[in-house]
Amino acid sequence: MAFRQALQLAACGLAGGSAAVLFSAVAVGKPRAGGDAEPRPAEPPAWAGGARPGPGVWDPNWDRREPLSLINVRKRNVESGEEELASKLDHYKAKATRHIFLIRHSQYHVDGSLEKDRTLTPLGREQAELTGLRLASLGLKFNKIVHSSMTRAIETTDIISRHLPGVCKVSTDLLREGAPIEPDPPVSHWKPEAVQYYEDGARIEAAFRNYIHRADARQEEDSYEIFICHANVIRYIVCSIPPLLSAGDFVLLGS
């Protein structure tokens, strides 16, 4: 099935309840059509103290994989000049697109005293089953499932993966639930300590940098990757995306 057809199916929603968002981003794959006529100098990394472009300004090196930032232009042959530069740029350009599915874990027992006790409810297990069936119906060749190491995400992954035989599963602590940034305006029912924002924010930002980026230049074919994690992690990723992608790069799979 063509991916555009799969998107049309995905837009109908998941008949179950697990929330899912798919973004098949030009920005995490092939260069955006109609981009700059000439390459712009790469922006310095945020951790190096350089200023990032303001809101609404396209940063071509948002994932530090912009081709121009990966070559040493000072070493180019003066005689061949722009031809050699263009050849090197082509070598580093993404040839494929990464299609990323963000799925929140299913309903779970919130009253568990320990994290390992917060297992899926019967409704949550049904949600995961229906989500797995829905993903399988898309007819896509999924490359992998990356999931949080928390119990509710592991159980959701195990159920979904039964419907996607042969797709490898990868567990990571980076996608665990947390408090990445203090809510504004504040909320009365959720008040983590300041140190939690400091610790979780850095971890979830690390997850964003590690997993949300354009395809490697060596990747020849489009990939379809599933990430099963948590509400705050997905919120952080999606809220970090708008300056980079257009609204047309997102499809809501469920609610």
Side-chain angles (χ1 to χ4, degrees):
M1 179 187 299
F3 184 61
R4 186 167 299 279
Q5 293 176 315
L7 282 181
Q8 292 171 349
L9 288 174
C12 298
L14 288 171
S18 292
V21 173
L22 158 67
F23 61 91
S24 81
V26 197
V28 292
K30 302 160 189 170
R32 184 180 293 272
D36 299 334
E38 295 181 0
R40 292 187 291 175
E43 297 289 339
W47 57 86
R52 283 181 177 272
V57 178
W58 172 255
D59 178 7
N61 197 32
W62 64 275
D63 59 354
R64 301 303 177 258
R65 287 172 169 80
E66 174 67 15
L68 189 59
S69 71
L70 300 176
I71 62 176
N72 189 339
V73 294
R74 295 178 182 177
K75 289 185 177 180
R76 71 185 186 194
N77 189 305
V78 177
E79 294 181 0
S80 57
E82 294 302 323
E83 290 185 7
E84 182 178 346
L85 176 60
S87 175
K88 289 184 177 179
L89 287 175
D90 286 339
H91 176 74
Y92 285 105
K93 284 180 180 177
K95 305 175 185 65
T97 296
R98 297 176 63 223
H99 302 284
I100 296 175
F101 294 70
L102 299 173
I103 299 177
R104 180 182 179 269
H105 59 78
S106 301
Q107 186 188 75
Y108 67 103
H109 295 284
V110 298
D111 53 355
S113 57
L114 300 175
E115 192 279 316
K116 66 181 180 65
D117 299 322
R118 295 168 193 160
T119 56
L120 297 187
T121 64
L123 175 58
R125 301 186 72 82
E126 181 182 1
Q127 290 173 343
E129 287 282 357
L130 291 170
T131 301
L133 286 168
R134 189 72 178 90
L135 290 169
S137 74
L138 298 180
L140 299 173
K141 183 180 179 180
F142 290 101
N143 299 78
K144 63 181 177 180
I145 302 175
V146 182
H147 63 88
S148 158
S149 57
M150 298 185 81
T151 299
R152 53 190 182 271
I154 294 173
E155 291 189 342
T156 301
T157 300
D158 287 343
I159 294 172
I160 289 176
S161 66
R162 294 173 193 162
H163 301 279
L164 303 171
V167 180
C168 68
K169 297 182 290 184
V170 180
S171 177
T172 176
D173 291 341
L174 290 179
L175 293 176
R176 292 175 72 91
E177 182 63 299
I181 191 168
E182 188 173 358
D184 184 16
V187 292
S188 58
H189 64 280
W190 188 64
K191 294 183 178 180
E193 297 293 331
V195 67
Q196 187 175 352
Y197 294 121
Y198 181 77
E199 294 175 351
D200 291 350
R203 172 177 57 78
I204 297 173
E205 170 65 16
F208 176 82
R209 297 186 185 192
N210 191 53
Y211 295 118
I212 310 302
H213 55 78
R214 73 194 78 188
D216 187 274
R218 292 169 294 182
Q219 182 175 325
E220 297 291 338
E221 299 180 352
D222 288 2
S223 59
Y224 302 89
E225 305 163 43
I226 298 171
F227 290 81
I228 300 175
C229 49
H230 308 270
N232 283 338
V233 178
I234 293 175
R235 288 189 190 103
Y236 185 88
I237 291 174
V238 172
C239 288
S240 298
I241 290 297
L244 312 175
L245 308 178
S246 67
D249 293 322
F250 295 87
V251 175
L252 180 63
L253 296 187
S255 59

